[in-house]
């Protein structure tokens, strides 16, 4: 599944299939988490949001290097490696004092990224509402400027620790709601420590991918992937993979990969054509009960 193999003429590079850890459930320890994942795959990559997987774990703000090394060791003992450290803060929180607390958590994980064995610390880009829900004001220049101020702070710490700040755009709801706006942030900072987590379903408009017919066609998905990857394709460090449906012409975008109307058998070759490959391909909203079926579907595509 993870092997890089050769053809007669060239090396074929593959995505690295992995999982979002808390989709396996909530656990009392990282040893228990690792053991649960090992039951499905003997060598696994995960995105780890610490307290989503182990809710009883201490506050991130008081973590230390020993904690990080213990987490890494507990997972590695079960064949589990961290591909992305999830730290889903609101980087534009409307309360400056709360925003500082969010930033401090992210900074702590940048400082501990080496001990955790993963350089990438990721977040979405928040909204004008404390809970990151939709607010029309989020798209304003005011909140874009606040985001850039936060990113500047995070990048200073990332550079000190040889870590990566990875931002994940989300259509309509978040400060960075398009690949074009993400490109704007990349151009402002021009830093090798600033990258992108690409979730195609998150960038699907809330009313769905524009389609030439009543039913979504392969060409519609191809065009959509081309559009969202063109501005950022050289900066993507991980893919999030899930699915969506339209309910009353409104996107419900939190379904497992094999459910919904988004055809990943079309999307994956388009991502590869854009040069996005050889990076973690992380399942979201995955159901352990259908994981084997999902892996069987994906393996020949990746």
């Amino acid at each position: 599944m993870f092997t890089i193999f050769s053809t007669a003429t060239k090396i074929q590079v593959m995505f690295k299939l992995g999982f979002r850890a808390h989709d396996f459930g909530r656990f009392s320890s990282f040893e228990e988490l690792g053991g649960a994942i090992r039951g499905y795959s003997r060598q696994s990559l995960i995105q780890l949001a610490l307290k989503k997987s182990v809710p009883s774990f201490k506050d991130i703000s008081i973590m230390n290097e020993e904690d990080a090394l213990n987490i890494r060791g507990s997972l590695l003992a079960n064949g589990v490696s961290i591909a992305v450290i999830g730290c889903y803060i609101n980087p534009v929180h409307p309360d400056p004092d709360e925003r500082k607390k969010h930033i401090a958590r992210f900074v702590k994980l940048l400082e501990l990224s080496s001990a955790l064995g993963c350089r990438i610390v990721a977040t979405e880009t928040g909204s004008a509402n404390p809970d990151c829900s939709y607010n029309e004001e989020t798209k304003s220049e005011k909140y874009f400027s606040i985001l850039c101020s936060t990113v500047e702070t995070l990048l200073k710490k990332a550079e000190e620790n040889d870590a990566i700040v990875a931002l994940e755009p989300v259509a309509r709801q978040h400060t960075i709601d398009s690949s074009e706006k993400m490109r704007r942030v990349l151009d402002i900072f021009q830093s090798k420590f600033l990258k992108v987590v690409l979730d195609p379903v998150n960038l699907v408009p809330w009313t769905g991918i524009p389609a030439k017919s009543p039913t979504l066609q392969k060409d519609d998905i191809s065009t959509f992937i081309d559009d969202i990857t063109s501005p950022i394709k050289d900066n993507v460090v991980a893919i999030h993979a899930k699915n969506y449906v339209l309910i009353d012409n409104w996107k419900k975008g939190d379904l497992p990969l094999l459910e919904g109307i988004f055809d990943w058998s079309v999307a994956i070759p388009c991502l590869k054509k854009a040069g996005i490959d050889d990076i973690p391909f992380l399942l979201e909203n995955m159901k352990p009960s259908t994981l084997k079926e999902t892996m069987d579907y994906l393996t020949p595509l990746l």
Side-chain angles (χ1 to χ4, degrees):
M1 177 172 53
F2 304 127
T3 305
I4 296 176
F5 61 92
S6 61
T7 66
T9 57
K10 63 179 181 179
I11 299 295
Q12 181 169 339
V13 181
M14 303 175 69
F15 281 110
K16 301 175 176 71
L17 180 60
F19 320 107
R20 192 172 64 174
H22 60 271
D23 286 331
F24 288 90
R26 306 296 186 269
F27 300 92
S28 61
S29 68
F30 292 99
E31 292 90 345
E32 187 181 349
L33 169 64
I37 297 173
R38 189 178 180 85
Y40 293 91
S41 176
R42 296 186 65 82
Q43 295 292 327
S44 300
L45 293 175
I46 60 167
Q47 172 162 318
L48 179 63
L50 297 167
K51 289 185 71 65
K52 286 189 176 183
S53 292
V54 182
S56 62
F57 184 66
K58 66 177 64 176
D59 191 281
I60 291 169
S61 64
I62 59 173
M63 275 184 69
N64 57 38
E65 185 173 1
E66 182 179 1
D67 294 323
L69 290 171
N70 286 338
I71 292 168
R72 180 182 182 183
S74 297
L75 295 173
L76 285 175
N78 286 286
V80 179
S81 301
I82 304 171
V84 175
I85 303 165
C87 184
Y88 285 85
I89 63 172
N90 186 348
V92 298
H93 197 292
D95 181 335
D97 290 334
E98 283 298 312
R99 187 162 68 243
K100 287 178 182 177
K101 294 177 184 177
H102 287 221
I103 291 170
R105 292 201 299 273
F106 201 102
V107 163
K108 174 65 73 170
L109 291 174
L110 289 170
E111 292 172 341
L112 296 174
S113 59
S114 178
L116 286 165
C118 174
R119 294 181 65 216
I120 302 169
V121 186
T123 184
E124 293 170 343
T125 59
S127 90
N129 288 344
D131 65 354
C132 296
S133 58
Y134 176 73
N135 184 320
E136 182 70 19
E137 192 178 357
T138 302
K139 67 176 66 174
S140 68
E141 281 297 308
K142 170 186 173 182
Y143 278 91
F144 183 85
S145 178
I146 293 172
L147 176 72
C148 287
S149 177
T150 295
V151 170
E152 183 177 19
T153 299
L154 298 180
L155 282 176
K156 288 178 181 176
K157 188 58 64 172
E159 291 167 6
E160 291 173 11
N161 291 275
D162 192 28
I164 289 172
V165 175
L167 301 182
E168 180 177 352
V170 179
R172 188 176 186 265
Q173 186 169 337
H174 287 186
T175 313
I176 303 303
D177 57 6
S178 68
S179 293
E180 289 78 14
K181 198 173 283 187
M182 186 67 240
R183 180 72 256 169
R184 186 179 168 196
V185 179
L186 291 167
D187 287 343
I188 287 170
F189 291 100
Q190 298 186 27
S191 171
K192 67 179 182 180
F193 300 100
L194 178 62
K195 299 294 181 182
V196 182
V197 172
L198 174 60
D199 184 329
V201 169
N202 275 356
L203 285 174
V204 170
W206 280 29
T207 53
I209 294 173
K212 300 170 186 173
S213 65
T215 303
L216 192 65
Q217 302 295 313
K218 292 182 177 181
D219 285 350
D220 300 321
I221 294 175
S222 296
T223 299
F224 169 72
I225 292 293
D226 289 346
D227 288 345
I228 65 170
T229 58
S230 180
I232 59 172
K233 60 187 178 182
D234 294 332
N235 300 94
V236 178
V237 291
I239 299 291
H240 283 172
K242 55 179 181 278
N243 216 314
Y244 78 98
V245 292
L246 294 177
I247 299 176
D248 296 328
N249 296 316
W250 210 242
K251 180 177 73 171
K252 175 178 170 56
D254 59 355
L255 300 179
L257 183 138
L258 292 183
E259 301 177 20
I261 61 176
F262 191 80
D263 189 344
W264 280 96
S265 72
V266 176
I268 291 171
C270 290
L271 292 170
K272 288 174 172 280
K273 183 179 177 182
I276 300 172
D277 209 336
D278 194 28
I279 58 175
F281 185 97
L282 303 169
L283 301 179
E284 283 199 341
N285 301 100
M286 175 273 301
K287 296 177 180 177
S289 61
T290 59
L291 179 54
K292 183 181 185 305
E293 181 183 0
T294 305
M295 292 170 70
D296 289 346
Y297 168 82
L298 283 173
T299 299
L301 294 171
L302 297 181

